[in-house]
Amino acid sequence: MIKIGMMIGDRYEILEKIGTGGMSDVYKAKDHKLNRFVAVKVLKQEFSENANFVSKFRIEAQAAAGLMHPNIVNVYDVGEEGGIYYIVMELVEGITLKKYIEKKARLSVKEAISIAIQVSMGIQAAHNNHIIHRDIKPQNIIISKEGKVKVTDFGIAKAATSNTITSNVMGSVHYTSPEQARGGYSDEKSDIYSLGITMFEMLTGRVPFNGETTVAIAIKHIQEELPPPREFVPEIPVSVEQIVCKCCQKSPDRRYQSMEELIADLKQSLINPDEDFVKVIDPDEEASTRMITDKDMAQIKRQSNKRDSMDDAMRLKKDHVRNYVEEDEEDEEEDEDWDEDEDDEDYDPKMEKITTILAIVAALLIACIVIFLIGKTFGIFSFGSGADQAAQEETEQVEMIRVVGMNVEDAKRALLELGLTPEIQYEVNSAYAVGTVLRASVQDGLMVDKNTNIILTVAESSEGITVPGVTGKSQAEATSILEKAGFVVNVTQSYDSTVENGYVISQSPEEATTAPEGSSITIRVSQGTEENKVRVPNVIGLTEMDAVASLTESGLTVGTVSEVTNEDAALTDKVCYQSYSVGSYVDKRTAIDLKVSTGPEQVTYRYSEGITAPTEDPNYKDGMAVTVTVTTADGTQLLSTQTSSFPVSVNYTGIKSPTGVITFTFTVQTEDTTTTDPDTGETVTVPGGSQEKTVKREINFTQE
């Protein structure tokens, strides 16, 4: 029986009950080993007594503990103590998506898609680890106080359905897939269907199918077509409606086949919401029927049995924590007849379709592998850090050096070594030697991007050659004209929508000015309209959800998202790093890696030694009973014990304060004392007694 204040697992102190579900209760607890708050989900007693259920509960929870993703409520630990079975999870304080929808009536398209993208990323991570949620719904999606979206309740769905536990599933049946409603086999595409229903509710503020009983709602999922979301909210873009409808196809083969496909379309809908790019594939039209042998049939069945055995060891489901356990949240009952049907050796016509699809997929995989090997052999495909390094170098910044007073050739050489592009223009000035740099367009000491054009104004004598005008001419023609006039040509390139690709935008020095013979003339040549380049926005300081929306709206994609420590406390739970510089131009759909700050790095200390007796007080005698307490500077009590034997061995880790104090408290017995009055000769006896003594000893902890 769980009680407030009790310690389980020798490290988790139960603080308060924060929620309850169909099969478990959730408590807020403190992990004293890592000094952090966690959520502890405890299996209810009626399920703890079911040995078969407990066995499956352990398997599912242990599998979930391997899932670590920013969009998943992570599982830290699994344990059992005195018949109490528990899972330790990340504590997330926030609001469920269900409550958020109820609060706002319905969400904007941009907000709904941004949330759907983050949910999809979390589910994708689970699917990549062969874990299926089976109960995706707004009640199981958390929006934290910082705006981060997390999927929860990966706990005990498979364990529950494997034991055919009967429960009220009214809260889940609104989002269940047709195959789950039939009691059949469910896979990754069942989660895609449930996510589609969730997106429908975010966009319209209502669920598509409703009824008086769970059976009536389940039948609608099986038989009735999904009502178009635009019937309820006409301003929903076409592409977003098509994405929802594709997710909610009755046949799993007509839905998105993976979360990657769904994420790609969701991001595309943010960029081009009104385009008709969503493709619904009819497998009956895409694949033709072919005969298969008995050997093929046996192999397919073996593979199917193997996959089911893997799923039985991996899938899980977990309850809510903190403010988001719904009263109607219960686990659904699934039928076990699927496993029995697998043992049926009779011919199944559906196997023809399955075999055809498998054959097509295998052929495509083989073709991709062959193309990849050929391309890699001939150098067509290039991978590795070289491209990434080049991209980073393009956006790297350097400090402008002082070039005023230098010879122009020395200045050009120094700027080129920094990665800057010098442009030369001349000015008649008899006060300085010919070729001396008079001015630069960028002040020394400033930070500038590499490849920035630096205009140098150089002194020349009154004698010189008139610079011909080449603006508007082709690069080849301009080069020819300038070289014939006795100049050396430098070429830089930039995008310009008003000048045709390959033609000169500008020149430096300008037309009709004079320049020494043999000096350099820089021409800027157009690369045409900037069609495939986009400017990288600044997402530093944004929440992950806002950063994803900003990048996708700019035509970019999100690469890897990782969590790191950052000394700036203001950036906690916000993006603190992006892999491309703000304002740089990159190709459309370039993946931008993000890092989200978990806050400043926590320095921890340890205290491992023997506490010696309080000999600082001369009244202390060996064998006295002493109360010893160890308290850190921040008020955390590490030890409180009574002993008469020293030294006392202690070993504490994860301490946050660098210093502390040891307090010794003991009682001293005093003897009777007799004194004589020198004037009267009268003697006075003071009886002895007990006196409490306190000794304090400051200590320093060792940094871990």
Side-chain angles (χ1 to χ4, degrees):
M1 185 71 179
I2 290 289
K3 295 182 180 179
I4 303 301
M6 74 179 294
M7 188 81 71
I8 60 175
D10 293 327
R11 64 185 288 187
Y12 305 112
E13 180 186 359
I14 303 299
L15 301 178
E16 61 177 309
K17 187 175 183 178
I18 58 176
T20 185
M23 286 166 286
S24 60
D25 295 319
V26 183
Y27 297 86
K28 180 179 179 180
K30 184 174 183 181
D31 180 354
H32 284 276
K33 187 172 183 180
L34 297 178
N35 200 20
R36 65 180 177 184
F37 292 105
V38 295
V40 178
K41 182 167 66 173
V42 179
L43 198 61
K44 288 185 176 180
Q45 184 175 359
E46 57 264 37
F47 301 113
S48 300
E49 296 171 354
N50 186 324
N52 187 26
F53 180 81
V54 167
S55 175
K56 292 181 181 293
F57 174 81
R58 284 175 172 171
I59 294 174
E60 305 305 326
Q62 288 167 358
L67 275 180
M68 296 296 290
H69 192 272
N71 297 118
I72 291 178
V73 176
N74 297 305
V75 176
Y76 296 145
D77 193 9
V78 182
E80 182 270 332
E81 181 175 300
I84 299 172
Y85 298 90
Y86 62 89
I87 300 177
V88 182
M89 303 177 297
E90 173 186 7
L91 179 64
V92 182
E93 296 194 15
I95 186 174
T96 67
L97 178 58
K98 185 71 174 179
K99 293 290 187 184
Y100 190 60
I101 295 171
E102 292 173 354
K103 182 179 179 181
K104 299 190 70 173
R106 62 181 176 86
L107 308 186
S108 67
V109 173
K110 176 182 174 182
E111 189 174 24
I113 297 304
S114 297
I115 291 174
I117 289 173
Q118 293 193 61
V119 173
S120 299
M121 288 178 174
I123 299 173
Q124 177 187 2
H127 287 182
N128 289 342
N129 286 273
H130 310 290
I131 296 175
I132 301 169
H133 192 290
R134 281 191 171 90
D135 196 20
I136 295 295
K137 56 185 178 181
Q139 294 93 324
N140 289 346
I141 298 168
I142 314 299
I143 302 175
S144 70
K145 292 180 178 179
E146 296 78 22
K148 183 174 292 186
V149 180
K150 290 178 176 282
V151 183
T152 186
D153 214 2
F154 273 97
I156 47 181
K158 182 66 189 301
T161 54
S162 298
N163 284 272
T164 59
I165 295 172
T166 302
S167 63
N168 173 19
V169 295
M170 194 67 182
S172 297
V173 74
H174 290 100
Y175 310 93
T176 191
S177 65
E179 58 268 25
Q180 287 175 296
R182 294 189 189 98
Y185 177 74
S186 57
D187 60 5
E188 291 87 348
K189 292 184 281 295
S190 300
D191 285 348
I192 292 175
Y193 182 95
S194 299
L195 179 56
I197 301 294
T198 301
M199 286 191 286
F200 185 102
E201 185 173 359
M202 283 194 288
L203 292 165
T204 65
R206 50 162 291 165
V207 291
F209 303 119
N210 220 328
E212 295 182 357
T213 65
T214 58
V215 174
I217 299 171
I219 291 174
K220 289 183 178 181
H221 277 289
I222 297 171
Q223 296 180 349
E224 294 187 10
E225 290 299 322
L226 185 83
R230 298 178 73 187
E231 286 186 2
F232 306 100
V233 184
E235 57 265 28
I236 294 175
V238 174
S239 63
V240 176
E241 180 181 67
Q242 291 175 338
I243 290 172
V244 174
C245 291
K246 183 173 180 178
C247 288
C248 299
Q249 291 290 314
K250 301 301 180 190
S251 170
D253 294 332
R254 294 177 61 106
R255 299 172 202 154
Y256 288 99
Q257 297 303 292
S258 67
M259 297 307 303
E260 290 88 344
E261 294 180 12
L262 174 56
I263 292 170
D265 274 5
L266 287 171
K267 292 179 178 179
Q268 179 69 10
S269 69
L270 281 175
I271 303 169
N272 302 307
D274 296 318
E275 285 191 10
D276 183 12
F277 58 83
V278 180
K279 297 181 180 179
V280 179
I281 299 175
D282 187 345
D284 295 331
E285 296 177 359
E286 291 291 321
S288 58
T289 303
R290 70 176 181 87
M291 297 299 293
I292 60 173
T293 64
D294 293 340
K295 182 179 179 181
D296 292 334
M297 181 71 71
Q299 183 178 1
I300 291 171
K301 289 186 175 182
R302 283 196 303 271
Q303 292 173 342
S304 178
N305 289 334
K306 181 179 179 182
R307 173 172 181 170
D308 289 338
S309 65
M310 289 177 61
D311 287 341
D312 283 341
M314 296 298 291
R315 298 188 192 108
L316 58 140
K317 171 180 181 293
K318 70 185 175 183
D319 287 334
H320 289 292
V321 297
R322 192 74 177 170
N323 232 358
Y324 42 78
V325 180
E326 303 294 327
E327 292 182 359
D328 61 355
E329 176 189 11
E330 302 288 344
D331 295 289
E332 300 184 48
E333 177 183 353
E334 291 186 5
D335 200 332
E336 292 184 333
D337 292 337
W338 174 264
D339 294 330
E340 298 173 2
D341 292 341
E342 287 181 335
D343 297 330
D344 186 2
E345 296 296 331
D346 294 337
Y347 175 71
D348 186 353
K350 291 183 179 179
M351 283 300 176
E352 291 187 1
K353 183 187 301 182
I354 295 173
T355 306
T356 304
I357 294 173
L358 289 174
I360 293 173
V361 171
L364 290 174
L365 287 174
I366 293 171
C368 290
I369 293 171
V370 172
I371 293 172
F372 171 77
L373 293 175
I374 294 174
K376 189 174 181 181
T377 302
F378 290 97
I380 297 173
F381 303 134
S382 60
F383 301 93
S385 61
D388 296 336
Q389 184 178 356
Q392 292 176 356
E393 287 177 354
E394 290 178 1
T395 58
E396 183 181 348
Q397 289 194 325
V398 295
E399 183 179 353
M400 177 62 184
I401 61 173
R402 180 172 179 79
V403 293
V404 174
M406 295 176 60
N407 178 271
V408 63
E409 296 302 325
D410 294 337
K412 285 168 56 178
R413 190 179 307 109
L415 291 174
L416 289 170
E417 288 177 355
L418 286 175
L420 302 174
T421 304
E423 293 186 12
I424 311 300
Q425 63 182 20
Y426 291 89
E427 179 181 295
V428 176
N429 193 317
S430 58
Y432 295 90
V434 174
T436 302
V437 178
L438 303 176
R439 293 183 300 276
S441 60
V442 177
Q443 183 179 351
D444 52 288
L446 294 180
M447 299 299 294
V448 294
D449 291 341
K450 278 194 172 184
N451 299 320
T452 298
N453 291 340
I454 307 297
I455 301 175
L456 303 178
T457 303
V458 180
E460 66 165 339
S461 64
S462 58
E463 299 178 359
I465 304 173
T466 301
V467 178
V470 294
T471 300
K473 300 183 183 298
S474 68
Q475 179 180 340
E477 183 181 2
T479 302
S480 176
I481 292 173
L482 292 172
E483 288 179 347
K484 285 181 180 179
F487 297 105
V488 176
V489 180
N490 289 332
V491 179
T492 63
Q493 294 182 322
S494 64
Y495 295 98
D496 195 308
S497 59
T498 63
V499 179
E500 186 179 351
N501 184 25
Y503 284 76
V504 178
I505 302 170
S506 62
Q507 64 181 83
S508 178
E510 297 178 354
E511 180 183 358
T513 59
T514 59
E517 182 178 358
S519 61
S520 298
I521 306 295
T522 301
I523 59 174
R524 190 159 60 96
V525 179
S526 172
Q527 291 180 283
T529 304
E530 188 181 350
E531 295 177 350
N532 296 319
K533 296 285 185 178
V534 293
R535 188 178 178 89
V536 177
N538 183 12
V539 297
I540 303 296
L542 300 181
T543 64
E544 182 183 343
M545 183 170 67
D546 290 340
V548 169
S550 177
L551 291 174
T552 51
E553 285 179 344
S554 298
L556 303 169
T557 62
V558 179
T560 59
V561 180
S562 56
E563 293 185 341
V564 296
T565 58
N566 188 280
E567 293 305 315
D568 188 351
L571 289 177
T572 302
D573 293 321
K574 293 181 173 62
V575 175
C576 62
Y577 165 85
Q578 58 187 78
S579 58
Y580 285 87
S581 299
V582 176
S584 60
Y585 286 89
V586 297
D587 292 332
K588 284 186 177 181
R589 302 185 182 282
T590 296
I592 310 295
D593 296 336
L594 303 177
K595 292 182 180 179
V596 179
S597 171
T598 58
E601 184 176 3
Q602 294 291 335
V603 177
T604 58
Y605 303 85
R606 59 183 173 84
Y607 182 51
S608 178
E609 61 180 62
I611 300 176
T612 58
T615 55
E616 295 95 324
D617 191 320
N619 294 306
Y620 170 77
K621 305 296 181 184
D622 289 341
M624 284 185 173
V626 181
T627 299
V628 183
T629 60
V630 179
T631 308
T632 65
D634 63 2
T636 302
Q637 188 179 85
L638 301 179
L639 175 69
S640 179
T641 186
Q642 188 177 67
T643 183
S644 59
S645 176
F646 289 94
V648 178
S649 296
V650 292
N651 184 14
Y652 296 101
T653 59
I655 305 171
K656 288 190 175 181
S657 298
T659 61
V661 63
I662 304 175
T663 303
F664 302 91
T665 305
F666 55 93
T667 302
V668 176
Q669 297 294 331
T670 59
E671 299 179 353
D672 295 347
T673 57
T674 302
T675 59
T676 302
D677 189 327
D679 296 332
T680 63
E682 183 180 358
T683 60
V684 178
T685 301
V686 178
S690 60
Q691 183 179 2
E692 186 176 85
K693 296 284 187 175
T694 300
V695 175
K696 292 184 180 291
R697 182 186 301 166
E698 294 185 355
I699 51 175
N700 295 316
F701 302 129
T702 304
Q703 185 171 333
E704 291 182 316

